[in-house]
Amino acid sequence: MVLRAQGIHKSFPGVRALHDVDFDLRAGEVHGLVGENGAGKSTLVKIITGAYDADAGLVEAFGHEVRHGDPRARRRAGIAAIYQEPTTVPEMSAAANVFLGRPQRRGPFVSRSDTHRAFRQLTTRLGLTIDPDVRAGSLSVANQQMLEIMRALVADHRILIMDEPTASLGPTERERLYEAIHGLREEGVATVYVSHNLDEVLALCDRVSVMRDGGLVATKPVERWTKESLVTAMLGHVLEKPPPQRRTIAEEVVLRVEGLSVPGVLEEISFTVHRGEILGLGGLVGSGRTELLRALAGADSDADGRLFVRGQERPWPRTVRSALALGIALAPEDRKAQGLVLSLSAAANVSLTDMRTVASGPLLRERRRLARAAEFMRPLAFDASRLSESAGSFSGGNQQKLVVGKWLHRRPDVLLMDEFTRGIDVGAKAELLAVVRRLAAEGMSIIIVSSELEELVEGADRVLVLARGRLIGELGHAEAAVERILRLVFEVEEEAEEGLAT
Amino acid sequence: MTLTTSPTAQERLPRLTGKAGRYATVLLRTYGIVLAFAVLVAVVAASSPGFATRTNIFNLFSQWAPAGILAVAMTYVILAGGFDLSIASGFSLCAVTAAAIGRTEDPAVAFLAALAVGLAIGLVNGVLVEGAKINPFITTVGTGFILNGIALVATGNIAYVVDNPDFGTIGAGAWHGFPYSGMILIFCLVAGGLVLAKTVYGQSIYAVGGNAEASRLSGIRVGTTVGSTYVLSGLAMGVAGIIAASQLNSAQANIDPNIVFDVITIVVVGGTSLGGGIGSMWRTAVGLGIVATISNAFSLADINPFYQDIVKGCIIIGALALDAYARRLAGRTRTRPGPAAVPAHPDAPPGGGDRGS
């Protein structure tokens, strides 16, 4: 056994991210780690690599306890991590990247010929053809990942952690990565393989662990898993909740989108949004969900398509302001980077969307601003006495409420909410979901995106499923179920793989 | 109120405990610079009898009017997340314009021309930075070189001397001994502070400097807002140039190439963050007071003026270190859950926790 994590606990303010997790890794195995978004996979990986501290628990590598909070200690223990986004130095050569920090030297000088020779040995070992002198940044993502694998081999790392390494790879590149992983297994390297692609996990791994709600549900040899049993384990005991009243959606179409395309991201998307409807957008990360919302909100200017607002064709909005003029507003994915000005007060953030309403001419009316912010934030169960504190001092859930409150202030006809429950605790999630329902009941149309499919199924009147930038299905409230969405997505993913492979 | 050293504070930060203590911490963090200024003034006044005299103080106002006015505009530029390094040469060019035209024309015409040149400089900077999306640092260094070159070519580096006595009124005139230029400075500080703290425009500046993307998605015209601060800076070059030319009754290219560093020192020492979005005009006023007092102390004590630069350098670095320290503290407050009954950041903009402006 090369790595053992025992009784790992980890909490973030308001969220229990990991609860009593035991995880072990054997030499020469590929260990799959699956679970829904938010199940705790990334947190576990970050604790193993030392990016995070565990609140409680023990991590041992090669029989030695690895001290908390010291990534370098873990690197010395021989753990390397490879992420979806490569971490190569783009301006340096491929060979220089591989030998970063461990130059092949002769005396004080870096030896070019030794470097090249060692680089070629590695490429042969992995069955690759990469020019040692090529600029790393000019290589494909797949080849950059190969450089990282080579870097791990040079450092003689015995544990490799791969977090969704194939998410941005084409089928042939994936094959090559699988081969490389097989090769590493032969050499006794242990690999933790995190992926959403269940087929891939079943084909590649020796053992698979499933995480759910911050706990490790089960670890079994791959033969004892099937795709179905993995999905069930990931979702837990799915209770078929009765739909919370069949809501009747108005016939009135607020928004009709025809042939929306964003070069390289979205292809010919068409759909309608009714008045007072909650429309869910489902799909994997990278399926184009965020891009679809951003295109509608005028946040990306290279979108093109036909847009009908209440039956009347309008030019596609190319700026946020023109989308707002059409009554379309975006509550973005990343509340800290895109949603809030953290240095401004909560009240100031809420009024930012429509400062005229809290001003007389050019003069801001601080009292009116506080009153209005309180008016919108109180129904969201937000402590109005804290409205003059800076937005940065609030918890994730309260910040998300501020992002919603901003748009209550402006009252758009269509509100787009990207990952509206990301990183907030269960209680705040339920409150936000209730707010969304109430807004819809008041006639606002809402498009929600969430990586947590259960939330879409529960909250949305209708779910559109996206895969690879195309709209691949539409499920009504009655038919929407997590399994159906996943099945739709995986069918398309597989077809695309096969289509590209031939 | 007790001052204790928190046993868990890794860096042994002095911590005030209790609600009142927390409030005191915030007060100190927010208004500590005022305290520093007060101490400085007391020390200088005690050691140099020449300092706290009417004439000396009035002189200081007139002497620091150009840099102070430029600092008012620079506060806008920095709060919006930008930087303007073209002010020294822009200021010279405006002064030269005023003097060149003032030799033959009415002073009003000369001053209007200088303002027009300043406005044009600001527009060019604003359009380059926001329209062409060039880094403000590089853009304004570039325009600074160009403006300096224009001033040198146009004048042949010869001083333009104005004989018309009316030309000197703005710079040298006074009301009951208080210089007009000082009044203009005070007007700029107050008006600039009010606009920043009390208007929709001022709020947009804070928002854009604090988070441009969030502001854009909120429907704020980010480009126009940021661009406008360069226009303000250009206008300030015009006003400062007029005052300088009028004070000297002459102007020359390279009138004061180091003024840009004085201006940045003033803004930064006050505590306005170079990162944008955090700061206020009263801080610039205090920063101006500190820089002016120190430099005055050196000349009153008859110390080699070259030492001044060493001190200035130390002050800038010290101010930035303090800023980084305050941000770390603020970051810690932020991550701590639970109600902190006090503003989370030591210096929040108006509408933030800071009630000063």
Side-chain angles (χ1 to χ4, degrees):
Chain A
M1 197 170 300
V2 293
L3 180 103
R4 197 167 55 149
Q6 258 186 330
I8 302 292
H9 287 260
K10 178 70 186 175
S11 301
F12 298 106
V15 194
R16 199 176 64 178
L18 288 181
H19 178 69
D20 200 13
V21 169
D22 294 337
F23 181 82
D24 68 84
L25 190 62
R26 298 171 191 159
E29 79 165 340
V30 181
H31 193 137
L33 191 59
V34 298
E36 282 192 295
N37 289 344
K41 295 170 303 199
S42 301
T43 312
L44 179 60
V45 163
K46 284 185 173 150
I47 283 176
I48 292 174
T49 57
Y52 285 166
D53 266 343
D55 296 338
L58 180 78
V59 180
E60 272 182 5
F62 308 102
H64 297 287
E65 182 184 353
V66 189
R67 283 224 339 273
H68 291 162
D70 187 0
R72 267 180 307 180
R74 283 176 168 83
R75 202 173 305 142
R76 258 179 269 128
I79 305 175
I82 290 163
Y83 299 100
Q84 197 173 330
E85 297 297 324
T87 57
T88 49
V89 184
E91 294 305 327
M92 289 172 66
S93 76
N97 263 286
V98 168
F99 296 99
L100 207 63
R102 293 178 178 77
Q104 300 289 302
R105 53 166 110 198
R106 288 198 176 168
F109 302 105
V110 175
S111 162
R112 205 176 122 87
S113 56
D114 286 0
T115 305
H116 279 200
R117 196 177 312 119
F119 184 85
R120 292 233 167 72
Q121 278 169 6
L122 283 168
T123 47
T124 323
R125 192 162 139 200
L126 292 171
L128 301 168
T129 45
I130 299 177
D131 177 0
D133 286 324
V134 74
R135 211 174 61 90
S138 68
L139 291 169
S140 66
V141 170
N143 276 334
Q144 292 189 47
Q145 283 178 341
M146 291 302 173
L147 293 185
E148 292 191 81
I149 292 179
M150 286 156 76
R151 193 192 289 165
L153 288 174
V154 167
D156 198 25
H157 283 147
R158 310 307 294 164
I159 299 174
L160 209 54
I161 293 171
M162 299 196 175
D163 196 352
E164 302 236 24
T166 55
S168 40
L169 300 190
T172 35
E173 295 171 319
R174 286 181 187 207
E175 278 308 321
R176 203 177 302 146
L177 183 73
Y178 300 154
E179 278 165 31
I181 293 172
H182 285 304
L184 294 172
R185 176 161 57 188
E186 301 300 309
E187 300 186 17
V189 173
T191 305
V192 178
Y193 195 86
V194 182
S195 177
H196 279 297
N197 188 332
L198 300 182
D199 291 316
E200 182 180 277
V201 167
L202 287 170
L204 187 68
C205 298
D206 303 306
R207 286 196 300 160
V208 182
S209 292
V210 177
M211 296 197 70
R212 183 177 72 233
D213 297 333
L216 203 133
V217 181
T219 302
K220 292 188 215 168
V222 72
E223 312 82 58
R224 292 175 50 201
W225 287 111
T226 61
K227 201 166 166 185
E228 286 67 33
S229 68
L230 278 176
V231 171
T232 316
M234 277 163 64
L235 299 177
H237 195 65
V238 188
L239 277 171
E240 281 302 328
K241 286 177 204 155
Q245 284 175 355
R246 285 279 308 142
R247 294 203 309 121
T248 42
I249 305 301
E251 283 296 301
E252 187 188 346
V253 172
V254 176
L255 214 62
R256 193 164 99 236
V257 172
E258 276 182 20
L260 164 62
S261 296
V262 176
V265 185
L266 292 175
E267 267 175 70
E268 292 289 316
I269 306 257
S270 303
F271 62 95
T272 57
V273 186
H274 296 258
R275 185 170 180 277
E277 181 181 34
I278 305 174
L279 183 65
L281 274 185
L284 300 179
V285 174
S287 58
R289 303 169 310 184
T290 295
E291 289 79 2
L292 175 50
L293 293 194
R294 287 181 66 87
L296 269 177
D300 290 323
S301 53
D302 51 356
D304 207 7
R306 299 180 73 189
L307 181 70
F308 299 82
V309 179
R310 297 182 197 286
Q312 215 178 345
E313 177 155 19
R314 303 294 194 125
W316 193 272
R318 307 222 173 262
T319 64
V320 173
R321 290 177 67 85
S322 53
L324 282 174
L326 298 175
I328 306 171
L330 171 68
E333 171 176 27
D334 184 339
R335 56 185 164 261
K336 284 197 162 95
Q338 305 166 325
L340 297 174
V341 183
L342 297 178
S343 53
L344 283 179
S345 73
N349 269 286
V350 171
S351 66
L352 217 51
T353 51
D354 202 359
M355 283 196 272
R356 279 168 312 166
T357 53
V358 294
S360 317
L363 281 185
L364 272 179
R365 295 287 178 202
E366 186 59 31
R367 215 175 274 170
R368 201 190 300 167
R369 176 156 82 172
L370 272 171
R372 260 183 87 90
E375 177 190 335
F376 295 118
M377 294 310 293
R378 252 196 222 103
L380 307 186
F382 186 96
D383 181 1
S385 70
R386 295 183 63 194
L387 277 169
S388 46
E389 288 174 40
S390 74
S393 66
F394 290 93
S395 69
N398 276 329
Q399 287 184 349
Q400 193 61 31
K401 286 179 190 172
L402 285 174
V403 174
V404 176
K406 272 173 76 167
W407 293 113
L408 299 188
H409 200 272
R410 176 95 183 199
R411 285 265 150 197
D413 299 324
V414 183
L415 180 57
L416 318 172
M417 302 175 82
D418 198 358
E419 294 287 4
F420 70 119
T421 59
R422 175 179 287 177
I424 65 178
D425 61 62
V426 186
K429 263 181 203 174
E431 280 168 8
L432 271 171
L433 219 54
V435 168
V436 167
R437 289 219 181 89
R438 205 187 64 231
L439 290 174
E442 288 167 17
M444 195 185 282
S445 307
I446 297 168
I447 305 185
I448 52 175
V449 161
S450 173
S451 292
E452 294 182 35
L453 295 176
E454 274 171 279
E455 239 165 51
L456 288 186
V457 169
E458 195 187 324
D461 299 310
R462 203 153 49 101
V463 177
L464 302 178
V465 185
L466 285 174
R468 296 184 172 250
R470 284 182 298 127
L471 193 59
I472 56 162
E474 180 185 325
L475 302 169
H477 185 81
E479 5 164 47
V482 176
E483 288 86 347
R484 288 191 64 155
I485 299 175
L486 281 178
R487 201 170 305 139
L488 273 173
V489 168
F490 284 129
E491 269 168 27
V492 171
E493 291 289 321
E494 276 159 23
E495 265 171 42
E497 299 272 295
E498 281 157 21
L500 279 167
T502 50
Chain B
M1 231 180 283
T2 48
L3 183 72
T4 61
T5 304
S6 164
T8 53
Q10 303 90 329
E11 295 148 62
R12 288 208 207 95
L13 304 170
R15 272 283 167 77
L16 297 159
T17 52
K19 189 174 170 178
R22 272 209 306 273
Y23 202 77
T25 316
V26 169
L27 269 183
L28 196 67
R29 259 193 266 150
T30 310
Y31 298 108
I33 193 71
V34 181
L35 190 69
F37 180 44
V39 170
L40 178 69
V41 167
V43 168
V44 174
S47 56
S48 309
F51 177 75
T53 61
R54 205 174 103 115
T55 330
N56 185 52
I57 300 295
F58 286 6
N59 265 339
L60 280 180
F61 269 98
S62 130
Q63 188 187 333
W64 285 91
I69 289 163
L70 288 168
V72 169
M74 185 67 95
T75 309
Y76 276 75
V77 175
I78 289 179
L79 276 177
F83 216 65
D84 190 349
L85 288 172
S86 69
I87 52 174
S89 22
F91 157 71
S92 307
L93 186 61
C94 291
V96 165
T97 306
I101 296 176
R103 285 183 305 177
T104 52
E105 306 294 326
D106 188 77
V109 177
F111 296 159
L112 279 176
L115 276 179
V117 169
L119 180 67
I121 295 170
L123 282 170
V124 168
N125 278 336
V127 166
L128 285 176
V129 171
E130 277 311 307
K133 301 277 171 211
I134 313 176
N135 175 298
F137 223 86
I138 306 302
T139 305
T140 54
V141 166
T143 49
F145 273 121
I146 294 169
L147 296 171
N148 192 35
I150 292 175
L152 284 169
V153 168
T155 63
N157 204 15
I158 303 213
Y160 287 142
V161 180
V162 187
D163 300 325
N164 186 346
D166 291 344
F167 188 84
T169 310
I170 282 191
W175 181 76
H176 288 294
F178 192 77
Y180 292 148
S181 54
M183 292 181 200
I184 298 175
L185 167 64
I186 290 173
F187 171 79
C188 287
L189 279 167
V190 171
L194 286 177
V195 167
L196 208 46
K198 302 283 179 201
T199 67
V200 173
Y201 172 64
Q203 188 72 64
S204 309
I205 297 219
Y206 279 109
V208 163
N211 188 339
E213 180 65 4
S215 304
R216 183 172 79 101
L217 292 176
S218 299
I220 292 175
R221 290 178 213 268
V222 175
T224 317
T225 307
V226 175
S228 72
T229 63
Y230 291 94
V231 175
L232 284 179
S233 185
L235 284 172
M237 294 174 209
V239 176
I242 290 168
I243 291 175
S246 170
Q247 281 173 341
L248 302 166
N249 270 320
S250 75
Q252 191 174 1
N254 292 329
I255 198 169
D256 185 0
N258 288 326
I259 199 169
V260 60
F261 301 114
D262 282 334
V263 168
I264 291 168
T265 311
I266 289 166
V267 177
V268 171
V269 163
T272 292
S273 164
L274 281 178
I278 298 169
S280 36
M281 196 55 79
W282 69 260
R283 293 191 167 279
T284 298
V286 174
L288 175 61
I290 290 176
V291 172
T293 306
I294 289 176
S295 118
N296 191 226
F298 273 99
S299 42
L300 288 174
D302 207 17
I303 300 172
N304 182 344
F306 298 142
Y307 281 113
Q308 270 197 54
D309 288 345
I310 299 177
V311 173
K312 263 188 212 160
C314 295
I315 292 174
I316 291 194
I317 293 169
L320 283 173
L322 257 173
D323 181 50
Y325 174 79
R327 273 169 182 269
R328 260 209 328 272
L329 275 180
R332 197 166 302 160
T333 323
R334 234 175 242 163
T335 52
R336 198 172 52 210
V342 288
H345 198 278
D347 186 25
D354 189 355
R355 267 158 291 278
S357 59

